[in-house]
Amino acid sequence: MPASPLILAKRFALFAALWLVLTAGALDGLPFGAAAAAAATWTSHRLLPADRDRLRLHRLPAILPRFLWGSLSGGLDVAARALRPRMPIRPGWVRYRSALPAGLPLVALGGELSLMPGTLAAGTREGDLLLHCLDVGADVVSSVAVEEQRIRGLVAP
Amino acid sequence: MIADAVTVLLIGAGLFFFVAGTVGFVRFPDVHSRLHALTKADNLGLGLVVLGAALQAPDAATVLKLVLVWLLTLAAAATVAQLLARSALEDGAP
Amino acid sequence: MIASAAFDILLCLLIVTVAVGSVAARDLFGAVALYIVYGLLLAIGWVRLGAVDVGLAEGAIGAGLTGVLLLGAAARLKAAPDPPRLRIVPLLLCLAVSLGLGAAVLSLSVPQPGLVPLVQENLAASGVGNPVTAVLLNFRGWDTLVESVVLVVALVGVWALAPDDLWDGRPGAAQRVKRDAVLNTFGRLLPPVGLMVGIYIVWIGAYAPGGAFQAGTVLAAVWLLAIMAGVAEPPPVRRPLWRALLVLGPAVFLLAGLHGTLWGAFMSFAPAKAKTMIMAIEFTLTLSIAVTLAMLVLGRPRRPA
Amino acid sequence: MTDLLYVAALVILANVAVSAWRVLHGPARADRIMGAQLIGTSGVALLVLLYLIHGSSGVLDLALLLALLAAFAAVGYVKSRSADGAGDPEVAGGEDP
């Protein structure tokens, strides 16, 4: 398939930035970095063709605070349940039909939910996300829908 | 000095989550609940340790490298959690 | 001071306990799981000993390849009957060998401070700033050359186990992976990042801990991930290009050594050219090691090409 | 400061010891791999602390390498669960491959 030069250039820039982080910007590493970034761009194009799963990375900073907050409350929640002597957990399963496209968006939602309070994804079955909940009494579905909306904001268009 | 104090606080908080994660890992009654403890608490603990270390970093590249370490671990955790949860489910765990 | 001593003591205790647990574990799976933990602790141990180069190699091998290799092997051995709990004669034999080795190491007269000053004096002539790379690629290049050949020979040995009708086929089983599911997506995302980290590790080897073996192992691991995630296919072992890749590193190493005979002696590099030659050897060796290790983990050809 | 970092490293090492007990005793195979996974994350945290103590950038590179390969043991495990060692837990149920 034809590769969009703009997307390839963006990926190359991303890998070049990664090289600069790894080498702390050492000058004599730049030729190696250019070659490495080119090889990584080619590999990423082979494995993840640019026409699918396009993410709007510039929108990432907007949802980052929410993600970090969710991650923090996820940790606090599970710590509180683990350390309380009576250990208040009521584990169970919920199936969630997501409107997100299969692939990176849906996998990212599952991964994110696994870091949020109370939910743990186990992949999909017949297109539904399988969610293990620490407390089936809580309103899981509506909080999942909120996270889904956030991921949706990252997916093109 | 202030940076040192904040580092100690952040690493201390990170340790709390590591300990809590391990307690949950030992106490929770079934495989999936244990996986909850492992995925959430430990990666939060690592994030706080990384943040504390970043305050001591000599340059910006080191800060970014520390963040990269955390991001890679998060990606691994998010993947492993889903794979192990499904694997245990297929094995018949409740 | 007390805290650092306590840390080292607890680390040593853990390493020994996990090692004993892995050897004595009643079931194969437990032994393998503990062995993965053992590799991780050992990498931290090497850091405490100031041998970060070895820690990198142990970390890459232990965390990346042995886990995949041994878990797969343990699953294949499921049908085999459990070995008897304790066999006296092998136990005594192992104990005798261990004690003999221990006695030999302890009785070695180590001229203090060893070869360290000699390496430091000649580091400038080696072409690289990392003393470990200087020893491995220049001062003691012979060993490394032969080691890189040994890896290829090991792979030929594995391939020789293929039945006649599959001898030029594809290694490993055909992967059944759900498209766009978790494993498939992870296998699309991580390999490019792993490629960058691998190239970085061989590059940094000229200045600081790193090098061809560590980098090759990382590349092998991410290639295996792509294969396990169903986004890459291992090549049939008869492909000339891939066979060339297997021997490229050792061949470049050997040619560089032969070039040295013009200057002085076999495997000696002129200081002015040493850096270029070492980098050329390191990069080609990284590729060869990556392909060889991944093919070793995949095993003998199992499918027609 | 260094002493405090060593104390922190000791706490994490104690966590590793407890998780190693889970690796040894299970009960489920998944528990053992989860223990190894937990020790992997703890190992990364330990190396970050050791980087602060030793100040050598190679230690941070080792932490980066372990973080990169953190999922490998678990991926190898879920693969080895299927009969031919080449499956995906999401197709184990036999539907929508």
PDB file of all heavy atoms in Angstrom, chain A residues 15 19 22-23 28-29 32 36 39-40 43-44 47 52 103-104 107 124, chain C residues 178 180-181 185 187-189 191-192 195-196 199-200 203 207 231 283:
ATOM      1  N   PHE A  15      11.226   8.555  16.342  1.00  0.00           N
ATOM      2  CA  PHE A  15      12.335   7.650  16.642  1.00  0.00           C
ATOM      3  C   PHE A  15      13.647   8.415  16.797  1.00  0.00           C
ATOM      4  O   PHE A  15      14.486   8.054  17.629  1.00  0.00           O
ATOM      5  CB  PHE A  15      12.457   6.573  15.556  1.00  0.00           C
ATOM      6  CG  PHE A  15      11.337   5.569  15.596  1.00  0.00           C
ATOM      7  CD1 PHE A  15      10.552   5.341  14.486  1.00  0.00           C
ATOM      8  CD2 PHE A  15      11.070   4.882  16.761  1.00  0.00           C
ATOM      9  CE1 PHE A  15       9.511   4.424  14.532  1.00  0.00           C
ATOM     10  CE2 PHE A  15      10.037   3.965  16.824  1.00  0.00           C
ATOM     11  CZ  PHE A  15       9.256   3.730  15.699  1.00  0.00           C
ATOM     12  N   TRP A  19      16.183   8.422  19.984  1.00  0.00           N
ATOM     13  CA  TRP A  19      17.642   8.244  19.947  1.00  0.00           C
ATOM     14  C   TRP A  19      18.332   9.336  20.757  1.00  0.00           C
ATOM     15  O   TRP A  19      19.267   9.065  21.524  1.00  0.00           O
ATOM     16  CB  TRP A  19      18.143   8.248  18.504  1.00  0.00           C
ATOM     17  CG  TRP A  19      19.625   8.073  18.412  1.00  0.00           C
ATOM     18  CD1 TRP A  19      20.573   9.051  18.318  1.00  0.00           C
ATOM     19  CD2 TRP A  19      20.344   6.833  18.435  1.00  0.00           C
ATOM     20  NE1 TRP A  19      21.823   8.516  18.280  1.00  0.00           N
ATOM     21  CE2 TRP A  19      21.711   7.142  18.351  1.00  0.00           C
ATOM     22  CE3 TRP A  19      19.954   5.479  18.533  1.00  0.00           C
ATOM     23  CZ2 TRP A  19      22.706   6.160  18.351  1.00  0.00           C
ATOM     24  CZ3 TRP A  19      20.947   4.509  18.535  1.00  0.00           C
ATOM     25  CH2 TRP A  19      22.294   4.856  18.442  1.00  0.00           C
ATOM     26  N   LEU A  22      18.060   8.546  24.354  1.00  0.00           N
ATOM     27  CA  LEU A  22      18.918   7.422  24.754  1.00  0.00           C
ATOM     28  C   LEU A  22      20.377   7.869  24.870  1.00  0.00           C
ATOM     29  O   LEU A  22      21.082   7.497  25.796  1.00  0.00           O
ATOM     30  CB  LEU A  22      18.799   6.279  23.738  1.00  0.00           C
ATOM     31  CG  LEU A  22      17.479   5.524  23.711  1.00  0.00           C
ATOM     32  CD1 LEU A  22      17.454   4.537  22.559  1.00  0.00           C
ATOM     33  CD2 LEU A  22      17.263   4.787  25.027  1.00  0.00           C
ATOM     34  N   THR A  23      20.856   8.656  23.900  1.00  0.00           N
ATOM     35  CA  THR A  23      22.279   9.008  23.857  1.00  0.00           C
ATOM     36  C   THR A  23      22.563  10.344  24.510  1.00  0.00           C
ATOM     37  O   THR A  23      23.690  10.815  24.453  1.00  0.00           O
ATOM     38  CB  THR A  23      22.767   9.079  22.402  1.00  0.00           C
ATOM     39  OG1 THR A  23      22.000  10.088  21.726  1.00  0.00           O
ATOM     40  CG2 THR A  23      22.579   7.766  21.685  1.00  0.00           C
ATOM     41  N   ASP A  28      28.648  12.330  18.204  1.00  0.00           N
ATOM     42  CA  ASP A  28      29.195  11.270  17.351  1.00  0.00           C
ATOM     43  C   ASP A  28      28.237  10.093  17.204  1.00  0.00           C
ATOM     44  O   ASP A  28      28.526   9.148  16.463  1.00  0.00           O
ATOM     45  CB  ASP A  28      30.571  10.811  17.852  1.00  0.00           C
ATOM     46  CG  ASP A  28      30.535  10.452  19.327  1.00  0.00           C
ATOM     47  OD1 ASP A  28      29.501  10.740  19.962  1.00  0.00           O
ATOM     48  OD2 ASP A  28      31.519   9.888  19.829  1.00  0.00           O
ATOM     49  N   GLY A  29      27.088  10.161  17.875  1.00  0.00           N
ATOM     50  CA  GLY A  29      26.112   9.098  17.691  1.00  0.00           C
ATOM     51  C   GLY A  29      25.080   9.424  16.628  1.00  0.00           C
ATOM     52  O   GLY A  29      24.301   8.562  16.235  1.00  0.00           O
ATOM     53  N   PHE A  32      24.621   7.153  13.496  1.00  0.00           N
ATOM     54  CA  PHE A  32      24.016   5.879  13.899  1.00  0.00           C
ATOM     55  C   PHE A  32      22.538   6.087  14.214  1.00  0.00           C
ATOM     56  O   PHE A  32      21.692   5.260  13.874  1.00  0.00           O
ATOM     57  CB  PHE A  32      24.740   5.317  15.123  1.00  0.00           C
ATOM     58  CG  PHE A  32      26.181   4.994  14.883  1.00  0.00           C
ATOM     59  CD1 PHE A  32      27.173   5.866  15.283  1.00  0.00           C
ATOM     60  CD2 PHE A  32      26.544   3.819  14.250  1.00  0.00           C
ATOM     61  CE1 PHE A  32      28.504   5.576  15.059  1.00  0.00           C
ATOM     62  CE2 PHE A  32      27.872   3.519  14.010  1.00  0.00           C
ATOM     63  CZ  PHE A  32      28.853   4.408  14.419  1.00  0.00           C
ATOM     64  N   ALA A  36      19.435   4.235  12.636  1.00  0.00           N
ATOM     65  CA  ALA A  36      18.554   3.473  13.517  1.00  0.00           C
ATOM     66  C   ALA A  36      17.107   3.946  13.355  1.00  0.00           C
ATOM     67  O   ALA A  36      16.184   3.129  13.267  1.00  0.00           O
ATOM     68  CB  ALA A  36      18.992   3.621  14.974  1.00  0.00           C
ATOM     69  N   ALA A  39      15.683   2.620  10.161  1.00  0.00           N
ATOM     70  CA  ALA A  39      15.348   1.201  10.277  1.00  0.00           C
ATOM     71  C   ALA A  39      14.086   1.013  11.104  1.00  0.00           C
ATOM     72  O   ALA A  39      13.210   0.203  10.764  1.00  0.00           O
ATOM     73  CB  ALA A  39      16.515   0.439  10.909  1.00  0.00           C
ATOM     74  N   ALA A  40      13.959   1.782  12.198  1.00  0.00           N
ATOM     75  CA  ALA A  40      12.777   1.647  13.058  1.00  0.00           C
ATOM     76  C   ALA A  40      11.517   2.116  12.329  1.00  0.00           C
ATOM     77  O   ALA A  40      10.452   1.513  12.473  1.00  0.00           O
ATOM     78  CB  ALA A  40      12.970   2.436  14.348  1.00  0.00           C
ATOM     79  N   THR A  43      10.547  -0.639   9.988  1.00  0.00           N
ATOM     80  CA  THR A  43       9.946  -1.743  10.745  1.00  0.00           C
ATOM     81  C   THR A  43       8.532  -1.396  11.178  1.00  0.00           C
ATOM     82  O   THR A  43       7.601  -2.203  11.032  1.00  0.00           O
ATOM     83  CB  THR A  43      10.785  -2.049  11.999  1.00  0.00           C
ATOM     84  OG1 THR A  43      12.155  -2.161  11.617  1.00  0.00           O
ATOM     85  CG2 THR A  43      10.343  -3.321  12.662  1.00  0.00           C
ATOM     86  N   SER A  44       8.343  -0.168  11.704  1.00  0.00           N
ATOM     87  CA  SER A  44       7.018   0.188  12.200  1.00  0.00           C
ATOM     88  C   SER A  44       6.028   0.273  11.048  1.00  0.00           C
ATOM     89  O   SER A  44       4.849  -0.032  11.207  1.00  0.00           O
ATOM     90  CB  SER A  44       7.066   1.500  12.986  1.00  0.00           C
ATOM     91  OG  SER A  44       7.006   2.595  12.117  1.00  0.00           O
ATOM     92  N   LEU A  47       5.079  -3.362  10.338  1.00  0.00           N
ATOM     93  CA  LEU A  47       4.260  -4.005  11.363  1.00  0.00           C
ATOM     94  C   LEU A  47       2.927  -3.292  11.573  1.00  0.00           C
ATOM     95  O   LEU A  47       1.928  -3.917  11.907  1.00  0.00           O
ATOM     96  CB  LEU A  47       5.026  -4.061  12.691  1.00  0.00           C
ATOM     97  CG  LEU A  47       6.343  -4.841  12.680  1.00  0.00           C
ATOM     98  CD1 LEU A  47       6.942  -4.874  14.069  1.00  0.00           C
ATOM     99  CD2 LEU A  47       6.129  -6.262  12.167  1.00  0.00           C
ATOM    100  N   ARG A  52      -3.852   2.546   9.248  1.00  0.00           N
ATOM    101  CA  ARG A  52      -4.781   2.088  10.277  1.00  0.00           C
ATOM    102  C   ARG A  52      -4.367   2.604  11.660  1.00  0.00           C
ATOM    103  O   ARG A  52      -3.246   3.003  11.882  1.00  0.00           O
ATOM    104  CB  ARG A  52      -4.866   0.554  10.290  1.00  0.00           C
ATOM    105  CG  ARG A  52      -3.572  -0.148  10.055  1.00  0.00           C
ATOM    106  CD  ARG A  52      -3.787  -1.609   9.703  1.00  0.00           C
ATOM    107  NE  ARG A  52      -4.686  -2.257  10.614  1.00  0.00           N
ATOM    108  CZ  ARG A  52      -4.285  -2.981  11.653  1.00  0.00           C
ATOM    109  NH1 ARG A  52      -3.010  -3.105  11.923  1.00  0.00           N
ATOM    110  NH2 ARG A  52      -5.161  -3.576  12.417  1.00  0.00           N
ATOM    111  N   GLY A 103      -8.134  -3.450  17.422  1.00  0.00           N
ATOM    112  CA  GLY A 103      -6.738  -3.055  17.219  1.00  0.00           C
ATOM    113  C   GLY A 103      -6.296  -2.129  18.329  1.00  0.00           C
ATOM    114  O   GLY A 103      -6.814  -2.190  19.441  1.00  0.00           O
ATOM    115  N   LEU A 104      -5.354  -1.249  18.002  1.00  0.00           N
ATOM    116  CA  LEU A 104      -4.743  -0.408  19.026  1.00  0.00           C
ATOM    117  C   LEU A 104      -5.754   0.335  19.906  1.00  0.00           C
ATOM    118  O   LEU A 104      -5.612   0.323  21.130  1.00  0.00           O
ATOM    119  CB  LEU A 104      -3.766   0.565  18.361  1.00  0.00           C
ATOM    120  CG  LEU A 104      -2.940   1.432  19.293  1.00  0.00           C
ATOM    121  CD1 LEU A 104      -2.230   0.600  20.342  1.00  0.00           C
ATOM    122  CD2 LEU A 104      -1.917   2.236  18.506  1.00  0.00           C
ATOM    123  N   VAL A 107      -7.358  -2.202  22.345  1.00  0.00           N
ATOM    124  CA  VAL A 107      -6.333  -2.761  23.235  1.00  0.00           C
ATOM    125  C   VAL A 107      -5.857  -1.702  24.219  1.00  0.00           C
ATOM    126  O   VAL A 107      -5.635  -1.979  25.404  1.00  0.00           O
ATOM    127  CB  VAL A 107      -5.154  -3.317  22.411  1.00  0.00           C
ATOM    128  CG1 VAL A 107      -4.019  -3.719  23.328  1.00  0.00           C
ATOM    129  CG2 VAL A 107      -5.609  -4.508  21.580  1.00  0.00           C
ATOM    130  N   THR A 124     -10.827  -9.515  24.265  1.00  0.00           N
ATOM    131  CA  THR A 124     -12.192  -9.437  23.766  1.00  0.00           C
ATOM    132  C   THR A 124     -12.719 -10.821  23.437  1.00  0.00           C
ATOM    133  O   THR A 124     -11.960 -11.750  23.145  1.00  0.00           O
ATOM    134  CB  THR A 124     -12.257  -8.586  22.479  1.00  0.00           C
ATOM    135  OG1 THR A 124     -11.306  -9.105  21.548  1.00  0.00           O
ATOM    136  CG2 THR A 124     -11.941  -7.139  22.768  1.00  0.00           C
TER     137      THR A 124
ATOM    138  N   LYS C 178      -4.916 -14.126  17.236  1.00  0.00           N
ATOM    139  CA  LYS C 178      -6.117 -13.381  16.872  1.00  0.00           C
ATOM    140  C   LYS C 178      -5.707 -11.993  16.401  1.00  0.00           C
ATOM    141  O   LYS C 178      -5.041 -11.257  17.118  1.00  0.00           O
ATOM    142  CB  LYS C 178      -7.045 -13.280  18.085  1.00  0.00           C
ATOM    143  CG  LYS C 178      -8.347 -12.574  17.792  1.00  0.00           C
ATOM    144  CD  LYS C 178      -9.348 -12.920  18.874  1.00  0.00           C
ATOM    145  CE  LYS C 178     -10.323 -11.802  19.112  1.00  0.00           C
ATOM    146  NZ  LYS C 178     -11.163 -12.059  20.277  1.00  0.00           N
ATOM    147  N   ASP C 180      -5.530  -8.184  15.597  1.00  0.00           N
ATOM    148  CA  ASP C 180      -5.932  -6.963  16.304  1.00  0.00           C
ATOM    149  C   ASP C 180      -6.273  -7.187  17.778  1.00  0.00           C
ATOM    150  O   ASP C 180      -6.858  -6.329  18.419  1.00  0.00           O
ATOM    151  CB  ASP C 180      -7.138  -6.283  15.615  1.00  0.00           C
ATOM    152  CG  ASP C 180      -6.715  -5.623  14.320  1.00  0.00           C
ATOM    153  OD1 ASP C 180      -5.520  -5.304  14.197  1.00  0.00           O
ATOM    154  OD2 ASP C 180      -7.562  -5.442  13.445  1.00  0.00           O
ATOM    155  N   ALA C 181      -5.907  -8.367  18.316  1.00  0.00           N
ATOM    156  CA  ALA C 181      -6.118  -8.583  19.743  1.00  0.00           C
ATOM    157  C   ALA C 181      -4.869  -8.098  20.504  1.00  0.00           C
ATOM    158  O   ALA C 181      -3.983  -7.477  19.927  1.00  0.00           O
ATOM    159  CB  ALA C 181      -6.393 -10.053  20.003  1.00  0.00           C
ATOM    160  N   THR C 185      -1.362  -6.728  18.782  1.00  0.00           N
ATOM    161  CA  THR C 185      -1.110  -5.283  18.814  1.00  0.00           C
ATOM    162  C   THR C 185       0.214  -4.964  19.505  1.00  0.00           C
ATOM    163  O   THR C 185       0.992  -4.127  19.029  1.00  0.00           O
ATOM    164  CB  THR C 185      -2.271  -4.566  19.537  1.00  0.00           C
ATOM    165  OG1 THR C 185      -3.487  -4.890  18.860  1.00  0.00           O
ATOM    166  CG2 THR C 185      -2.079  -3.075  19.539  1.00  0.00           C
ATOM    167  N   GLY C 187       2.800  -6.841  19.643  1.00  0.00           N
ATOM    168  CA  GLY C 187       3.862  -7.252  18.728  1.00  0.00           C
ATOM    169  C   GLY C 187       4.054  -6.283  17.571  1.00  0.00           C
ATOM    170  O   GLY C 187       5.085  -6.310  16.903  1.00  0.00           O
ATOM    171  N   ARG C 188       3.063  -5.439  17.313  1.00  0.00           N
ATOM    172  CA  ARG C 188       3.231  -4.419  16.276  1.00  0.00           C
ATOM    173  C   ARG C 188       3.921  -3.175  16.828  1.00  0.00           C
ATOM    174  O   ARG C 188       4.596  -2.452  16.098  1.00  0.00           O
ATOM    175  CB  ARG C 188       1.862  -3.983  15.728  1.00  0.00           C
ATOM    176  CG  ARG C 188       1.152  -5.038  14.915  1.00  0.00           C
ATOM    177  CD  ARG C 188      -0.214  -4.521  14.469  1.00  0.00           C
ATOM    178  NE  ARG C 188      -1.038  -5.594  13.963  1.00  0.00           N
ATOM    179  CZ  ARG C 188      -0.965  -6.058  12.721  1.00  0.00           C
ATOM    180  NH1 ARG C 188      -0.120  -5.510  11.869  1.00  0.00           N
ATOM    181  NH2 ARG C 188      -1.726  -7.049  12.327  1.00  0.00           N
ATOM    182  N   LEU C 189       3.710  -2.909  18.132  1.00  0.00           N
ATOM    183  CA  LEU C 189       4.200  -1.654  18.710  1.00  0.00           C
ATOM    184  C   LEU C 189       5.622  -1.745  19.227  1.00  0.00           C
ATOM    185  O   LEU C 189       6.425  -0.827  19.047  1.00  0.00           O
ATOM    186  CB  LEU C 189       3.285  -1.228  19.867  1.00  0.00           C
ATOM    187  CG  LEU C 189       1.903  -0.736  19.482  1.00  0.00           C
ATOM    188  CD1 LEU C 189       1.124  -0.379  20.732  1.00  0.00           C
ATOM    189  CD2 LEU C 189       2.016   0.485  18.579  1.00  0.00           C
ATOM    190  N   PRO C 191       8.461  -3.890  18.720  1.00  0.00           N
ATOM    191  CA  PRO C 191       9.713  -4.145  18.000  1.00  0.00           C
ATOM    192  C   PRO C 191      10.462  -2.904  17.489  1.00  0.00           C
ATOM    193  O   PRO C 191      11.691  -2.860  17.637  1.00  0.00           O
ATOM    194  CB  PRO C 191       9.272  -5.068  16.859  1.00  0.00           C
ATOM    195  CG  PRO C 191       8.147  -5.829  17.453  1.00  0.00           C
ATOM    196  CD  PRO C 191       7.403  -4.815  18.281  1.00  0.00           C
ATOM    197  N   PRO C 192       9.800  -1.874  16.925  1.00  0.00           N
ATOM    198  CA  PRO C 192      10.596  -0.718  16.488  1.00  0.00           C
ATOM    199  C   PRO C 192      11.348  -0.054  17.648  1.00  0.00           C
ATOM    200  O   PRO C 192      12.504   0.344  17.501  1.00  0.00           O
ATOM    201  CB  PRO C 192       9.559   0.234  15.886  1.00  0.00           C
ATOM    202  CG  PRO C 192       8.399  -0.606  15.550  1.00  0.00           C
ATOM    203  CD  PRO C 192       8.380  -1.716  16.548  1.00  0.00           C
ATOM    204  N   LEU C 195      14.242  -2.174  18.506  1.00  0.00           N
ATOM    205  CA  LEU C 195      15.299  -1.984  17.511  1.00  0.00           C
ATOM    206  C   LEU C 195      16.154  -0.775  17.867  1.00  0.00           C
ATOM    207  O   LEU C 195      17.400  -0.830  17.834  1.00  0.00           O
ATOM    208  CB  LEU C 195      14.648  -1.808  16.135  1.00  0.00           C
ATOM    209  CG  LEU C 195      15.568  -1.668  14.934  1.00  0.00           C
ATOM    210  CD1 LEU C 195      16.374  -2.933  14.747  1.00  0.00           C
ATOM    211  CD2 LEU C 195      14.767  -1.383  13.670  1.00  0.00           C
ATOM    212  N   MET C 196      15.495   0.340  18.233  1.00  0.00           N
ATOM    213  CA  MET C 196      16.242   1.541  18.631  1.00  0.00           C
ATOM    214  C   MET C 196      17.120   1.255  19.854  1.00  0.00           C
ATOM    215  O   MET C 196      18.290   1.633  19.888  1.00  0.00           O
ATOM    216  CB  MET C 196      15.273   2.681  18.988  1.00  0.00           C
ATOM    217  CG  MET C 196      14.434   3.208  17.874  1.00  0.00           C
ATOM    218  SD  MET C 196      15.351   3.993  16.568  1.00  0.00           S
ATOM    219  CE  MET C 196      16.104   5.361  17.394  1.00  0.00           C
ATOM    220  N   ILE C 199      20.163  -0.968  18.896  1.00  0.00           N
ATOM    221  CA  ILE C 199      21.224  -0.237  18.192  1.00  0.00           C
ATOM    222  C   ILE C 199      21.948   0.695  19.170  1.00  0.00           C
ATOM    223  O   ILE C 199      23.172   0.847  19.124  1.00  0.00           O
ATOM    224  CB  ILE C 199      20.648   0.528  16.987  1.00  0.00           C
ATOM    225  CG1 ILE C 199      20.083  -0.468  15.964  1.00  0.00           C
ATOM    226  CG2 ILE C 199      21.722   1.386  16.327  1.00  0.00           C
ATOM    227  CD1 ILE C 199      19.373   0.172  14.796  1.00  0.00           C
ATOM    228  N   TYR C 200      21.173   1.287  20.083  1.00  0.00           N
ATOM    229  CA  TYR C 200      21.796   2.143  21.092  1.00  0.00           C
ATOM    230  C   TYR C 200      22.781   1.346  21.955  1.00  0.00           C
ATOM    231  O   TYR C 200      23.882   1.807  22.256  1.00  0.00           O
ATOM    232  CB  TYR C 200      20.714   2.785  21.975  1.00  0.00           C
ATOM    233  CG  TYR C 200      21.234   3.336  23.272  1.00  0.00           C
ATOM    234  CD1 TYR C 200      22.073   4.447  23.283  1.00  0.00           C
ATOM    235  CD2 TYR C 200      20.929   2.729  24.491  1.00  0.00           C
ATOM    236  CE1 TYR C 200      22.575   4.941  24.479  1.00  0.00           C
ATOM    237  CE2 TYR C 200      21.416   3.223  25.679  1.00  0.00           C
ATOM    238  CZ  TYR C 200      22.243   4.321  25.669  1.00  0.00           C
ATOM    239  OH  TYR C 200      22.746   4.807  26.852  1.00  0.00           O
ATOM    240  N   TRP C 203      25.976   0.696  20.131  1.00  0.00           N
ATOM    241  CA  TRP C 203      26.722   1.946  19.951  1.00  0.00           C
ATOM    242  C   TRP C 203      27.395   2.361  21.256  1.00  0.00           C
ATOM    243  O   TRP C 203      28.578   2.703  21.285  1.00  0.00           O
ATOM    244  CB  TRP C 203      25.772   3.050  19.461  1.00  0.00           C
ATOM    245  CG  TRP C 203      26.405   4.396  19.436  1.00  0.00           C
ATOM    246  CD1 TRP C 203      27.236   4.888  18.466  1.00  0.00           C
ATOM    247  CD2 TRP C 203      26.309   5.421  20.435  1.00  0.00           C
ATOM    248  NE1 TRP C 203      27.660   6.154  18.800  1.00  0.00           N
ATOM    249  CE2 TRP C 203      27.115   6.502  20.004  1.00  0.00           C
ATOM    250  CE3 TRP C 203      25.640   5.517  21.648  1.00  0.00           C
ATOM    251  CZ2 TRP C 203      27.242   7.676  20.750  1.00  0.00           C
ATOM    252  CZ3 TRP C 203      25.771   6.672  22.388  1.00  0.00           C
ATOM    253  CH2 TRP C 203      26.568   7.744  21.927  1.00  0.00           C
ATOM    254  N   TYR C 207      31.836   3.100  24.520  1.00  0.00           N
ATOM    255  CA  TYR C 207      32.178   4.092  25.553  1.00  0.00           C
ATOM    256  C   TYR C 207      31.864   3.602  26.967  1.00  0.00           C
ATOM    257  O   TYR C 207      32.505   4.000  27.927  1.00  0.00           O
ATOM    258  CB  TYR C 207      31.391   5.389  25.334  1.00  0.00           C
ATOM    259  CG  TYR C 207      31.407   5.880  23.907  1.00  0.00           C
ATOM    260  CD1 TYR C 207      30.435   5.481  23.001  1.00  0.00           C
ATOM    261  CD2 TYR C 207      32.412   6.738  23.471  1.00  0.00           C
ATOM    262  CE1 TYR C 207      30.456   5.930  21.692  1.00  0.00           C
ATOM    263  CE2 TYR C 207      32.443   7.191  22.169  1.00  0.00           C
ATOM    264  CZ  TYR C 207      31.465   6.780  21.283  1.00  0.00           C
ATOM    265  OH  TYR C 207      31.495   7.220  19.993  1.00  0.00           O
ATOM    266  N   VAL C 231       3.058 -11.262  13.564  1.00  0.00           N
ATOM    267  CA  VAL C 231       3.251 -10.185  12.594  1.00  0.00           C
ATOM    268  C   VAL C 231       4.538 -10.353  11.800  1.00  0.00           C
ATOM    269  O   VAL C 231       4.861  -9.530  10.952  1.00  0.00           O
ATOM    270  CB  VAL C 231       3.228  -8.783  13.257  1.00  0.00           C
ATOM    271  CG1 VAL C 231       1.844  -8.489  13.794  1.00  0.00           C
ATOM    272  CG2 VAL C 231       4.261  -8.674  14.354  1.00  0.00           C
ATOM    273  N   PHE C 283      28.837  -4.065  14.904  1.00  0.00           N
ATOM    274  CA  PHE C 283      27.516  -3.950  14.282  1.00  0.00           C
ATOM    275  C   PHE C 283      27.161  -5.213  13.491  1.00  0.00           C
ATOM    276  O   PHE C 283      26.022  -5.693  13.574  1.00  0.00           O
ATOM    277  CB  PHE C 283      27.440  -2.704  13.396  1.00  0.00           C
ATOM    278  CG  PHE C 283      27.036  -1.480  14.165  1.00  0.00           C
ATOM    279  CD1 PHE C 283      27.988  -0.650  14.727  1.00  0.00           C
ATOM    280  CD2 PHE C 283      25.703  -1.170  14.360  1.00  0.00           C
ATOM    281  CE1 PHE C 283      27.629   0.471  15.461  1.00  0.00           C
ATOM    282  CE2 PHE C 283      25.322  -0.060  15.097  1.00  0.00           C
ATOM    283  CZ  PHE C 283      26.286   0.765  15.652  1.00  0.00           C
TER     284      PHE C 283
END
